[in-house]
Amino acid sequence: MTTTDLFGDGTPQAGVMPLGPRAVVLRGFALHWARALWPALKQVVAQAPWRHMQTPGGQRMSVALTNCGAFGWVSDRHGYRYSALDPDSGQPWPALPASFAGLAAQAALAGGFDGFTPDACLINRYVPGARMGLHQDRDERDLAHPIVSVSLGLPAVFLWGGARRADRAQRVPLLHGDVVVWGGEDRLRFHGMAPLSEGHHPLVGAQRINFTLRRAA
Ligand code: MD6
Ligand code: FE
């Protein structure tokens, strides 16, 4: 089964935009979850506030981040890794909200990945001007698991590259409620975000929130 053939009989799916053999944008998939996701997100941020981490090269990331789930992604002068403890508080990260886990499993299934059970959720916050350079997600132990990525708030341009950093990146608009699911042969594609434009979103305000659910351990 491919991601464009969800019923296995060639039926085209409204709102499903294939990016690659095992990568798909599910347009608006999170929309009817947003009213559960938003208060859950605020509770996470109350326990584990936004922070700007340093890259291993010593630069401050323009994107602010936090985490929830058993493991959180952290970056400092020593490199990138997953940690069971929030380095700012020394405490475990907040639990993965049930709405996050439910959405992740449903979206993964819709994207062609059955039985996805995330143990880590990296939450990124972009204000206008914030961006993310091209990178691969390769800090997870077993790259056979997919990633589910949920966008809330201001629209943004996702840069969808290839297997090599120098490969030309496609510009894909991501809107409030869009979910990207990818894994398999697309798992190590380079990707990033163009600088966020100014704007105001009625629920989320002048920012974009992205959270990515992963199996880290
Ligand atoms: C973002 N996303 O959407 C950045 N990584 O703000 C990512 O870096 C990302 O969306 C791995 C899988 C899905 C993603
Ligand atoms: Fe990424």
Side-chain angles (χ1 to χ4, degrees):
M1 192 183 85
T2 70
T3 51
T4 50
D5 190 18
L6 298 177
F7 294 106
D9 64 357
T11 308
Q13 289 297 287
V16 176
M17 178 189 166
L19 291 176
R22 299 304 308 277
V24 68
V25 182
L26 305 171
R27 289 283 178 218
F29 194 92
L31 277 179
H32 75 281
W33 295 76
R35 258 179 306 179
L37 300 174
W38 187 240
L41 190 84
K42 286 209 258 197
Q43 280 193 351
V44 168
V45 172
Q47 287 175 255
W50 299 115
R51 75 285 310 268
H52 290 271
M53 288 193 177
Q54 299 248 318
T55 66
Q59 285 194 326
R60 176 186 188 267
M61 295 175 69
S62 65
V63 174
L65 67 82
T66 186
N67 292 279
C68 57
F71 300 97
W73 185 88
V74 298
S75 175
D76 59 22
R77 294 306 293 252
H78 305 291
Y80 309 123
R81 67 192 169 277
Y82 282 93
S83 167
L85 300 180
D86 176 345
D88 281 9
S89 67
Q91 295 298 118
W93 297 101
L96 191 68
S99 55
F100 284 32
L103 170 58
Q106 284 194 11
L109 189 60
F113 298 91
D114 205 351
F116 179 52
T117 53
D119 61 6
C121 179
L122 166 60
I123 310 172
N124 288 318
R125 183 186 66 176
Y126 298 72
V127 296
R131 58 183 289 277
M132 189 173 292
L134 286 180
H135 65 277
Q136 292 171 302
D137 284 53
R138 55 183 321 149
D139 302 318
E140 299 76 27
R141 188 183 55 79
D142 179 356
L143 299 177
H145 297 292
I147 295 181
V148 171
S149 162
V150 181
S151 292
L152 297 176
L154 290 179
V157 175
F158 182 52
L159 306 171
W160 175 246
R164 285 159 308 201
R165 186 179 294 278
D167 289 344
R168 195 188 153 80
Q170 188 186 337
R171 295 171 68 88
V172 180
L174 290 182
L175 309 179
H176 178 73
D178 287 349
V179 178
V180 185
V181 179
W182 89 70
E185 64 203 272
D186 288 318
R187 183 64 172 68
L188 290 177
R189 298 274 289 250
F190 279 89
H191 59 281
M193 295 302 302
L196 190 73
S197 297
E198 301 278 349
H200 180 83
H201 186 274
L203 178 68
V204 177
Q207 57 184 347
R208 169 177 183 263
I209 309 284
N210 170 264
F211 56 91
T212 45
L213 294 130
R214 304 126 188 273
R215 184 101 209 148

